[in-house]
Amino acid sequence: MRRKRPTVVCLAAALALTGCSAASTGGAKGGSALTYLTFETPSLTATFWNTSIASAEKKVPGVTVKKIVAPSTDRDAYAKQLQASGQFPDLLQSITPSTFATAGLLKPYDQKWVDANFLLPLGNAYKGKVYIPPTNSQIIPEVFYDKKLFAKAHIAQPPKTWAEFMAVCAKLKAAGVTPVELGGGDPFSASMPLTGILSADVLGKNPNWLKERYAGKVKFTDPDVKAAVGKYRTMVKNGYFEDGALGVKYADSITNFTSGKTAMYMMGSWFLGAVPKDHADDFGAFLTPTEDGSLVVPFSVGGSMAISAKTKDPAKATAFAEAWSLDPANYKALIEGDGAFPMLKGKTLDDYGVDVTKVFKDSYSYVTQQNTKVSSFGWATNDDSMPSGLNNAFYAASQALFSSDDVDGQLAKLDAAWDSATK
């Protein structure tokens, strides 16, 4: 799972959540009563959470868990509200560890347990400690494409270089096909093209860029960032997104793409859970193209739940979190419904008993292969995570840059927001 967006690494981000509620799933009578901040999406429903909580409760005698459902996609903000009112949960799903660890609010996991169970034990470590188990990973974004619409425009293969990508967009538009879908009405979704381009061009050349931004060695207003943003502005000016893209909600953008209204869709790999099974072979995926065609994987290692350092029963809270994080049934739901790439040691996809598409398997191969992986821009939960509040500033800039040529002004705002957040 992942931070404030979809999946479990991410899925949350991607989807609108439904209301706030607290409900106990039952469990043992007496003993420890724990609170657990979750979220709900069309793929991770109330039933999923209730079932998964009940299963973990059975593995930890004496524990009863009360589920708290976040009222919006911003789980970090809601957790802060709960903390300010003295109601900080014992367990928190898919939050940003750095936001709370620096305030001493989270308890790290035992590194020996992490090392024993996960493929990338330090994949989402923050300052050397693991606050959410690295249970899964995602690519944010991939470029999904409709093979039939490519064929209609006489495009034989997906592009490898940026020049080829621009040529593909031009051919699609000339064939009367909208080249790229954009759910611009939801901030995180609107940012996907920029996330892909910045990850490929800026982080692909300098994987330490975010760490260097903390050190003040680089800025958003630097030429390499401006050039990357310029590519996005070119896509907008050339009319490669649908009309009224800033008014398209995330859920509608999925429907538009899967129903054949648009040819490509830059979205996190959680979209794989939404690929229509009845014509899944019509879809393929490639990475955001670079200038020279080299592959750069915008990678994010997600995780399950964080444990409050203030919980009254840290042993029971830890036991519940570990049981939930290793439950095969949870992985099956996350893989099939949320496109999560599992990161448990000693497991193949077949071990989870999942039914996945070819495009899922092709996408997962980017995770298992040796290649250039960088922290997806704005989606990291490790030391490459941005300061609290910067994600929202980045989303706002992404929406503004759809209709504004003031690249310098928007990037200067990001620098100012970063400096303010890190004072």
Side-chain angles (χ1 to χ4, degrees):
M1 294 208 185
R2 168 152 163 68
R3 83 184 181 107
K4 186 168 91 168
R5 283 139 288 250
T7 359
V8 138
V9 129
C10 294
L11 44 191
L15 308 164
L17 303 185
T18 60
C20 170
S21 65
S24 173
T25 62
K29 301 298 183 183
S32 295
L34 305 175
T35 53
Y36 179 19
L37 176 62
T38 67
F39 55 89
E40 293 174 2
T41 73
S43 56
L44 298 183
T45 63
T47 298
F48 164 77
W49 293 109
N50 293 343
T51 300
S52 67
I53 290 170
S55 177
E57 282 179 330
K58 292 177 182 177
K59 296 179 177 66
V60 188
V63 165
T64 300
V65 174
K66 177 182 286 186
K67 179 184 66 174
I68 303 170
V69 181
S72 77
T73 58
D74 195 343
R75 293 188 297 281
D76 287 351
Y78 188 56
K80 289 178 182 178
Q81 292 177 24
L82 293 173
Q83 193 271 332
S85 62
Q87 302 176 79
F88 195 65
D90 297 286
L91 301 159
L92 306 93
Q93 189 73 36
S94 304
I95 59 167
T96 308
S98 59
T99 299
F100 302 96
T102 52
L105 292 171
L106 301 183
K107 173 184 177 294
Y109 283 80
D110 185 295
Q111 193 59 48
K112 291 181 180 179
W113 177 80
V114 177
D115 292 342
N117 288 290
F118 303 103
L119 290 173
L120 291 177
L122 296 175
N124 57 10
Y126 178 69
K127 297 189 182 300
K129 295 183 179 180
V130 175
Y131 294 98
I132 53 174
T135 57
N136 64 90
S137 64
Q138 291 182 326
I139 299 170
I140 312 173
E142 291 184 85
V143 186
F144 298 96
Y145 70 100
D146 186 316
K147 295 177 181 179
K148 288 186 174 180
L149 293 181
F150 267 43
K152 177 181 177 180
H154 305 291
I155 300 167
Q157 298 291 335
K160 294 181 179 180
T161 67
W162 185 259
E164 290 174 355
F165 181 53
M166 289 293 93
V168 163
C169 288
K171 289 186 73 172
L172 287 163
K173 185 179 179 182
V177 176
T178 299
V180 186
E181 178 65 36
L182 181 71
D186 282 304
F188 92 90
S189 181
S191 75
M192 282 294 148
L194 269 181
T195 296
I197 298 168
L198 289 169
S199 296
D201 285 8
V202 178
L203 300 185
K205 294 175 182 175
N206 180 9
N208 294 317
W209 191 92
L210 287 155
K211 296 182 181 70
E212 291 182 6
R213 184 63 190 83
Y214 275 104
K217 296 180 180 179
V218 296
K219 290 184 176 294
F220 284 96
T221 49
D222 289 348
D224 56 345
V225 182
K226 290 173 63 175
V229 175
K231 288 183 173 182
Y232 175 60
R233 286 294 303 144
T234 296
M235 293 176 68
V236 175
K237 289 180 178 179
N238 288 356
Y240 293 156
F241 298 105
E242 72 265 51
D243 292 339
L246 282 186
V248 178
K249 302 299 289 183
Y250 169 70
D252 293 329
S253 70
I254 294 176
T255 302
N256 289 345
F257 176 63
T258 56
S259 64
K261 293 182 179 179
T262 51
M264 292 182 285
Y265 188 37
M266 301 178 78
M267 185 49 62
S269 55
W270 54 82
F271 166 74
L272 291 164
V275 172
K277 291 292 180 67
D278 60 348
H279 57 111
D281 290 343
D282 290 344
F283 299 94
F286 58 94
L287 299 174
T288 303
T290 57
E291 287 292 324
D292 61 4
S294 58
L295 294 180
V296 176
V297 183
F299 195 54
S300 177
V301 178
S304 55
M305 67 192 74
I307 303 168
S308 169
K310 311 298 182 182
T311 181
K312 293 180 180 180
D313 196 337
K316 293 291 189 183
T318 299
F320 178 88
E322 291 180 352
W324 195 100
S325 300
L326 297 179
D327 190 333
N330 294 342
Y331 283 84
K332 179 177 171 61
L334 293 170
I335 293 166
E336 292 183 341
D338 217 46
F341 301 133
M343 300 295 286
L344 277 181
K345 274 187 175 179
K347 300 283 187 182
T348 68
L349 285 177
D350 291 337
D351 294 325
Y352 298 100
V354 293
D355 178 19
V356 294
T357 61
K358 183 179 184 302
V359 67
F360 182 100
K361 293 177 180 178
D362 290 345
S363 298
Y364 188 37
S365 69
Y366 288 127
V367 175
T368 58
Q369 293 168 0
Q370 292 294 319
N371 48 36
T372 300
K373 294 182 177 69
V374 300
S375 292
S376 176
F377 200 93
W379 287 82
T381 53
N382 53 24
D383 292 329
D384 285 330
S385 58
M386 294 202 290
S388 179
L390 253 291
N391 284 347
N392 289 336
F394 178 60
Y395 300 157
S398 298
Q399 289 180 311
L401 286 166
F402 185 87
S403 53
S404 172
D405 268 325
D406 186 17
V407 173
D408 289 340
Q410 291 299 324
L411 295 180
K413 285 182 181 180
L414 287 176
D415 278 324
W418 184 293
D419 294 340
S420 176
T422 54
K423 281 185 180 178

